[in-house]
Structures are given as structure tokens and as C-alpha cells.
Amino acid sequence: MTNTPHISVQNLNLYYGTRQALKNININIPDKKVTSFIGPSGCGKTSLLKTFNRLHDSALDVRVAGKVLVDGENIYDKQVEVTHIRKKMGLLSQRPFPLPLSIYGNVAYGPKLHGVKDKPLLDALVEQRLKEVALWDEVKDRLHTPATGLSIGQQQRLCLARGLAVEPEIILGDEPTSALDPKSTHKVEELFLELKNKYTIVLVTHILRQARRVSDYIVFVYDGQIIEFGPTEELLLNPKEELTKDYIRGFFS
């Protein structure tokens, strides 16, 4: 891989109590590309994704050993300020969770939190981010209505706009289209293909077809370990590991 890594994981191990969920993970996630994690349920895909912005911090009895470097900074160093790390990353969950605010309020929330008070500047930021996620034309006449009035697909794009409003470097998606209809899924996938020109995108997906459509690289995770990592077409069409071949053939899921 010739691309400079944006996230570098080194000898990472994750424990939930006595159970080891991630085992000696070493991987470099390239900058401004889409990298997808695939693998069966419970294999550690989401656990690995959550280590990238320390979402395990609030969980009880969780222990992380090893390094996760973002822009060369180990985010698990004791001196690191967690809010600073999380500002670099927008997160899309399986289901959208808009704030109990207006459409406008959702997008403006982050910039306000970080000190932006100027109304014309906020207006411009909201419009810019809603356009970036192809939502502006659908909502520009009802910006001050509750975000919960949007369809699920629109809510997911709104959550993406809210994440982009704090100017992150990385977008993390934990099965971000699993609750969406096919039309909304297509829109979100198109967004990822456009947004990778500006952002590093890391996705968890159960759908091999989706991984092939949107990814530059694929990581096959099994039993808390990285079995294989490579360019999308190469890994899907000519996997090196027997376990990867069996998964792609559908022998287990």
C-alpha cells in the first residue's frame, strides 16, 4: 500500500473482562480512502472500529493494550485529551440518532459547542454541510422543524452532516445503512464515494456487495484477528487465505 496511513494500529489487544475481543491487531488505514471491515457477527469488527475514537472508555471492565496512532499521535497515551481525539472523527451508528432539536439545530450544535456564535456564519455552515450530504434541497424550507420528522434515510444523512459540521478528518460508520431502505442506502453509499476526497472513511459492513461498491480496501476480521487485508478487488476475487475464501463463498456468516 503506497498511501500514507491516517490511522496506524500497533499490537492492539482489547479485553472485556477476561474475554479477549481483539488479538494483536496491526494495520495501517490509508488517508482519504474507504476501508471496510467485513466478517461474521461477533468477530470484533465493531470493537475494532470503537478503538479508533476511544468509545470503549465508558464501558466497565474494558482493557486496551497497544497503540492506535492518529496522525502519528497515540490516542491511548495518558496525556491525550479525549475530546480532541473525538473531534477528529464523525461517527455514524447503525440507526440514526438525531438530537431532539430542529434540523438546523442538529447541524449547528457542534460548531456552537466549539464557540461559533455568529449567526450568518452558522447559517452558512449549516447550508454547506447539508449540501455536502445532499440534503439541503430536501429540507431548506423546513430547517426549523423537528429533525425527528425526517425519514430514517434523511435522519442518517442529517447525522452525517452533524458529524461533518465539526470538521473531522475521519468518518467512522458502524453498519451505517443497515436500517435504511435501498434508495437511502444508495444515496449514503454515493456520499461515501464523494466524501473520500476529503475524509478518511472506515466502515463496518455485513454486506459484501456494499463493501465492493464503496471500498478501496477491505479488512477481513475473524475471531478478533485480522485474517486478510488488501485492495477490494484483489481480496474479493483472489483471496490468499482459506478462511477468507470460505467467508466470501458464503460457507459461514
Side-chain angles (χ1 to χ4, degrees), residues 4 14 17 23 41 44 56 67 72 148 152 203 220 223 229 240:
T4 304
L14 174 72
K23 304 167 185 175
S41 297
H56 295 292
K67 295 181 179 180
T148 49
I152 294 294
L203 304 177
F220 174 52
D223 191 29
F229 174 37
K240 296 179 177 64

Side-chain angles (χ1 to χ4, degrees), residues 135-151:
L135 195 56
W136 174 254
D137 288 339
E138 297 170 35
V139 302
K140 61 184 179 183
D141 297 324
R142 48 174 175 148
L143 290 175
H144 298 287
T145 62
T148 49
L150 297 174
S151 71

Side-chain angles (χ1 to χ4, degrees), residues 168-214:
E169 301 174 5
I170 298 163
I171 299 170
L172 305 177
D174 185 10
E175 296 186 58
T177 64
S178 63
L180 307 185
D181 60 80
K183 184 177 179 181
S184 297
T185 293
H186 179 65
K187 281 190 175 181
V188 171
E189 288 179 358
E190 283 189 326
L191 284 174
F192 290 146
L193 292 173
E194 292 171 16
L195 291 171
K196 74 176 183 180
N197 294 315
K198 296 181 183 178
Y199 307 93
T200 297
I201 301 175
V202 187
L203 304 177
V204 167
T205 181
H206 275 297
I207 306 166
L208 286 176
R209 292 188 306 278
Q210 180 175 77
R212 187 171 186 178
R213 286 193 296 265
V214 304

Side-chain angles (χ1 to χ4, degrees), residues 55-203:
L55 274 179
H56 295 292
D57 281 15
S58 58
L60 297 174
D61 208 19
V62 171
R63 183 164 62 89
V64 177
K67 295 181 179 180
V68 176
L69 305 177
V70 178
D71 296 324
E73 177 182 28
N74 181 17
I75 68 171
Y76 285 94
D77 274 347
K78 291 181 180 178
Q79 298 85 356
V80 167
E81 209 280 308
V82 180
T83 307
H84 152 71
I85 293 300
R86 289 182 179 157
K87 188 178 183 294
K88 290 186 175 187
M89 310 202 189
L91 178 68
L92 278 181
S93 302
Q94 292 184 23
R95 292 191 63 83
F97 292 103
L99 299 171
L101 302 169
S102 67
I103 297 167
Y104 182 100
N106 266 267
V107 184
Y109 181 81
K112 283 182 176 179
L113 205 62
H114 291 284
V116 179
K117 305 296 181 188
D118 183 70
K119 181 67 163 57
L121 179 55
L122 282 170
D123 290 348
L125 283 171
V126 169
E127 180 175 348
Q128 176 190 354
R129 296 311 178 188
L130 288 173
K131 282 181 174 176
E132 202 167 9
V133 300
L135 195 56
W136 174 254
D137 288 339
E138 297 170 35
V139 302
K140 61 184 179 183
D141 297 324
R142 48 174 175 148
L143 290 175
H144 298 287
T145 62
T148 49
L150 297 174
S151 71
I152 294 294
Q154 289 173 324
Q155 286 182 25
Q156 190 66 303
R157 283 184 284 147
L158 177 67
C159 289
L160 180 55
R162 187 179 74 208
L164 297 179
V166 296
E167 300 183 349
E169 301 174 5
I170 298 163
I171 299 170
L172 305 177
D174 185 10
E175 296 186 58
T177 64
S178 63
L180 307 185
D181 60 80
K183 184 177 179 181
S184 297
T185 293
H186 179 65
K187 281 190 175 181
V188 171
E189 288 179 358
E190 283 189 326
L191 284 174
F192 290 146
L193 292 173
E194 292 171 16
L195 291 171
K196 74 176 183 180
N197 294 315
K198 296 181 183 178
Y199 307 93
T200 297
I201 301 175
V202 187
L203 304 177

